[in-house]
C-alpha cells in the first residue's frame, strides 16, 4: 500500500533485510510495533483480513494491519527476492504527524473501520 509517508535518508538508516523468494517477511501474530517497507522486490500477504493484493517496491507491507491491529493478521511472503526496511512504529507515527497533526489519527481510524467492515461482512456471510 502506498502512503503519503516518504521514506527519507533518516528512515533509510534503519535495519534492512534481504529476503529470498518464497520466504516469510512478516509472520501472522507478530506485533505491529514495526512497519515493513519494501525497497525492492514483490510480496503477497497470505489470507489477510483486509486484502492488499500484490505488494511491490515502494509499498508498506500489511499497512492496514499495522495501523489498526496490535498484531499482523497474515503472513507476508516474498514472491521475488526482496529488500525490506524495518521502521519502528514511533518513527512512522512521528513522520506522519510532522506532515499534519491529524493525519496519523485519521489514517488509523480509517484502517480500524476497514477491519470492522470486513469482520461484519464475514460474520454475515457465515
Amino acid at each position: 500500500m502506498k502512503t503519503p509517508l516518504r521514506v527519507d535518508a533518516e528512515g533509510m538508516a534503519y535495519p534492512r533485510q534481504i529476503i529470498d523468494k518464497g520466504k516469510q517477511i512478516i509472520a501472522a501474530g507478530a506485533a505491529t510495533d514495526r512497519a515493513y517497507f519494501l525497497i525492492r522486490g514483490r510480496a503477497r500477504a497470505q489470507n489477510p483480513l483486509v486484502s492488499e493484493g500484490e505488494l511491490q517496491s515502494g509499498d508498506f507491507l500489511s499497512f492496514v494491519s499495522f495501523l489498526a491491529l496490535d498484531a499482523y493478521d497474515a503472513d507476508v511472503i516474498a514472491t521475488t527476492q526482496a529488500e525490506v526496511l524495518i521502521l519502528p512504529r514511533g518513527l512512522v507515527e512521528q513522520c506522519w504527524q510532522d506532515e499534519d497533526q491529524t493525519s496519523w489519527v485519521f489514517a488509523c481510524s480509517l484502517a480500524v473501520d476497514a477491519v470492522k467492515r470486513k469482520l461484519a461482512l464475514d460474520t454475515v456471510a457465515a
Side-chain angles (χ1 to χ4, degrees):
M1 166 181 253
K2 301 278 188 244
T3 70
L5 178 66
R6 291 182 305 279
V7 177
D8 58 13
E10 179 184 353
M12 293 301 272
Y14 282 86
R16 298 178 190 206
Q17 290 183 339
I18 303 296
I19 310 292
D20 290 330
K21 179 180 179 179
K23 299 293 183 182
Q24 186 179 67
I25 299 172
I26 300 173
T32 54
D33 59 346
R34 294 179 226 154
Y36 296 83
F37 179 79
L38 193 57
I39 296 170
R40 180 179 50 82
R42 293 185 178 275
R44 177 172 288 283
Q46 294 187 326
N47 303 314
L49 185 62
V50 179
S51 179
E52 295 187 55
E54 185 75 15
L55 301 157
Q56 57 191 328
S57 299
D59 286 343
F60 277 88
L61 306 179
S62 293
F63 204 60
V64 172
S65 295
F66 172 75
L67 292 172
L69 304 173
D70 292 329
Y72 285 101
D73 65 315
D75 292 332
V76 177
I77 307 299
T79 56
T80 67
Q81 186 181 60
E83 182 177 3
V84 179
L85 182 64
I86 303 166
L87 301 167
R89 181 179 199 81
L91 176 69
V92 175
E93 181 177 354
Q94 186 59 52
C95 289
W96 216 329
Q97 286 182 348
D98 287 348
E99 290 290 318
D100 176 358
Q101 284 288 48
T102 61
S103 61
W104 173 257
V105 173
F106 184 64
C108 291
S109 295
L110 287 175
V112 167
D113 286 346
V115 169
K116 285 180 181 178
R117 279 193 307 275
K118 175 65 172 145
L119 290 174
L121 288 173
D122 289 350
T123 302
V124 169

